[in-house]
C-alpha cells in the first residue's frame, strides 16, 4: 500500500478513540502521516493545557496509522514500545499538528517518530514508538 486518503482513514476510525480525540487527518503515506487536533477542554489538565496522555495518545495513533498504511494483507499491528519527551505545553483553544515519519519499516516491526507542534510552531513533544506486525485474526 502506498498510502491512504485522509478521509478513508477518518472513516475507518469513526466512532473509535482517535475519533473521540478529534484527530483530523491531513496525510497518510507510506513514509509519513500528518494530522492535527484541537486542544479542547475535555483533553486538558489543570492550567488549561493539553494533558500529556492526550499528546501520547495522538502520537500512538499516528504511529499505528503509519504502520497500518504499510501492513501486508492479512496482518495487523500493535504498539510494543513508546518513548515520549515533553518539551512545551499546548494551550486550550490552540491546535496541535503532528508529523509522524518512518524510521524503520520492516517485515515484523516498524519504528516511527512523531513531532507534535503547537499552532505557533513550537515543539510540544517528540515520541518514538515501535509497532509489531502480527498475523491477522
Amino acid at each position: 500500500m502506498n498510502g491512504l486518503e485522509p478521509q478513508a482513514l477518518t472513516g475507518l476510525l469513526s466512532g473509535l478513540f482517535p475519533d473521540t480525540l478529534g484527530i483530523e487527518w491531513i496525510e497518510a503515506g507510506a513514509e509519513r502521516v500528518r494530522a492535527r487536533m484541537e486542544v479542547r477542554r475535555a483533553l486538558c489538565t489543570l492550567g488549561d493545557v493539553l494533558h500529556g496522555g492526550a499528546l501520547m495518545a495522538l502520537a500512538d495513533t499516528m504511529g499505528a496509522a503509519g504502520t497500518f498504511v504499510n501492513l501486508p494483507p492479512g496482518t495487523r499491528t500493535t504498539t510494543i514500545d513508546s518513548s515520549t519527551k515533553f518539551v512545551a505545553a499546548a494551550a486550550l483553544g490552540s491546535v496541535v499538528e503532528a508529523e509522524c515519519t518512518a524510521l524503520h519499516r520492516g517485515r515484523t516491526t516498524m519504528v516511527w517518530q512523531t513531532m507534535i507542534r503547537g499552532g505557533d510552531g513550537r515543539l510540544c513533544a517528540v515520541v518514538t514508538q515501535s509497532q509489531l506486525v502480527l498475523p491477522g485474526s
Side-chain angles (χ1 to χ4, degrees):
M1 196 181 289
N2 291 328
L4 195 61
E5 289 298 319
Q7 57 270 32
L9 196 50
T10 299
L12 285 170
L13 297 171
S14 179
L16 301 176
F17 186 60
D19 192 23
T20 300
L21 288 172
I23 297 173
E24 178 187 337
W25 299 97
I26 300 168
E27 176 184 351
E31 292 283 337
R32 180 173 79 167
V33 178
R34 294 175 49 233
R36 65 176 62 96
M37 183 176 76
E38 181 184 348
V39 180
R40 306 182 327 268
R41 180 125 178 100
L43 301 178
C44 286
T45 188
L46 295 175
D48 287 335
V49 295
L50 187 59
H51 191 284
L55 276 167
M56 293 168 73
L58 170 60
D60 184 63
T61 302
M62 300 292 290
T67 301
F68 177 79
V69 169
N70 286 281
L71 285 177
T75 61
R76 58 192 173 93
T77 186
T78 189
T79 305
I80 56 173
D81 180 71
S82 184
S83 172
T84 303
K85 304 296 183 235
F86 297 106
V87 180
L92 174 65
S94 67
V95 174
V96 293
E97 295 202 9
E99 180 175 30
C100 183
T101 55
L103 300 179
H104 167 73
R105 294 183 304 139
R107 286 182 305 106
T108 57
T109 62
M110 296 191 198
V111 180
W112 296 85
Q113 184 173 62
T114 303
M115 307 284 274
I116 301 174
R117 297 183 181 279
D120 59 0
R122 268 186 28 200
L123 184 63
C124 296
V126 178
V127 180
T128 304
Q129 75 189 73
S130 301
Q131 294 286 133
L132 183 63
V133 177
L134 299 164
S137 58

